[in-house]
Amino acid sequence: MAATPELEEPQVHVVGANTIQTHMFVNELGNHHPVRLHTSLDDALSVVCMRGAHKCLILMDVAHVGVERILEGLCSVKLPLESLLALLNVPHELDRSSDCVIHGVRGLFFEDDPINMIVKGVAEILAGQIWIPRRTLFEAATQPVRGGCEDLEATGGGSASDGLTRREREILAMICVGSSNQEIADKLFISTNTVKTHIYKIYKKIHVPNRMQAALWGAKHL
């Protein structure tokens, strides 16, 4: 079932059905990233935990797992710190896409996305970016949190007066609309290293651990 040589650490763990189509997708993705196929989230998590702390992406096939089961699983299972999560084959009419974002999903790949776009999105997510339509990100940030997951309440405390500078507020606003570090740097005529420094300070000031939570916080408080 593994599509990656054992000596090479998988960067991407695909959770999907053991079908010819899935294997074709995994083989194509494997031309760009070390990848391994799993038929269940539990299997993927057991391998990720066994391998130790290294950044990886768990890419779950919605057609195989189902959105409701994914959301239920995210409420009951805590992902390892270095693990990121994205969904594959998402239908455009999915009415719970913003719920997926609130649960920590870092990327949404739709059922008609070409492989080259998925490859690019996977690389962006592994680099710390978010691969989610801006409209969905805004919907997730502005909708009230619904019960079911205790972790959803921990989206960063504080108020709009947490000591952010004007530049930090400007950068946080750009994060809220899904801008990448490079886009922020280009817009503000600063280096990407300077952007990263500002973002680190923003995280510390508003008490959030990552870009997704910062975007949710910013949409509610800016």
Side-chain angles (χ1 to χ4, degrees):
M1 188 164 60
T4 301
E6 287 300 321
L7 295 178
E8 194 171 9
E9 290 284 357
Q11 283 184 301
V12 184
H13 296 267
V14 176
V15 179
N18 189 15
T19 64
I20 294 176
Q21 292 82 359
T22 304
H23 280 281
M24 290 176 62
F25 168 77
V26 168
N27 288 336
E28 181 63 31
L29 187 60
N31 291 328
H32 306 274
H33 303 280
V35 59
R36 181 167 181 169
L37 174 63
H38 309 267
T39 55
S40 72
L41 177 58
D42 287 341
D43 180 45
L45 289 176
S46 66
V47 172
V48 169
C49 293
M50 181 179 63
R51 293 284 184 172
H54 71 284
K55 180 171 287 188
C56 65
L57 173 64
I58 297 176
L59 185 56
M60 300 187 67
D61 188 346
V62 171
H64 170 60
V65 183
V67 174
E68 296 299 328
R69 286 181 59 193
I70 290 173
L71 294 177
E72 290 173 4
L74 292 177
C75 284
S76 59
V77 176
K78 189 173 182 63
L79 295 178
L81 182 62
E82 294 297 318
S83 299
L84 307 171
L85 179 67
L87 304 186
L88 180 68
N89 287 323
V90 177
H92 285 281
E93 66 274 11
L94 178 65
D95 59 0
R96 300 202 64 181
S97 56
S98 58
D99 288 343
C100 295
V101 175
I102 291 174
H103 281 71
V105 173
R106 301 292 292 271
L108 297 175
F109 297 102
F110 295 95
E111 52 194 355
D112 56 355
D113 283 348
I115 185 64
N116 62 316
M117 183 177 292
I118 296 174
V119 169
K120 179 180 179 181
V122 166
E124 289 288 316
I125 295 170
L126 289 171
Q129 305 300 325
I130 299 171
W131 193 263
I132 292 171
R134 296 183 179 186
R135 178 178 177 180
T136 300
L137 188 59
F138 269 119
E139 289 175 355
T142 55
Q143 77 177 38
V145 174
R146 288 185 280 190
C149 256
E150 293 179 2
D151 290 343
L152 297 186
E153 298 175 1
T155 56
S159 65
S161 59
D162 273 317
L164 296 177
T165 66
R166 173 185 285 185
R167 177 50 58 90
E168 288 166 353
R169 289 179 180 278
E170 190 173 17
I171 290 174
L172 182 55
M174 296 178 73
I175 289 175
C176 288
V177 297
S179 298
S180 67
N181 288 356
Q182 188 62 59
E183 289 172 332
I184 294 172
D186 293 343
K187 181 74 175 293
L188 301 181
F189 302 102
I190 57 179
S191 71
T192 55
N193 284 335
T194 300
V195 173
K196 291 177 182 178
T197 298
H198 281 302
I199 292 176
Y200 173 77
K201 291 179 178 178
I202 290 170
Y203 289 175
K204 299 290 284 185
K205 288 183 178 181
I206 65 176
H207 312 294
V208 299
N210 54 50
R211 199 180 193 92
M212 180 70 70
Q213 297 296 345
L216 296 175
W217 188 97
K220 286 177 167 58
H221 296 97
L222 287 182

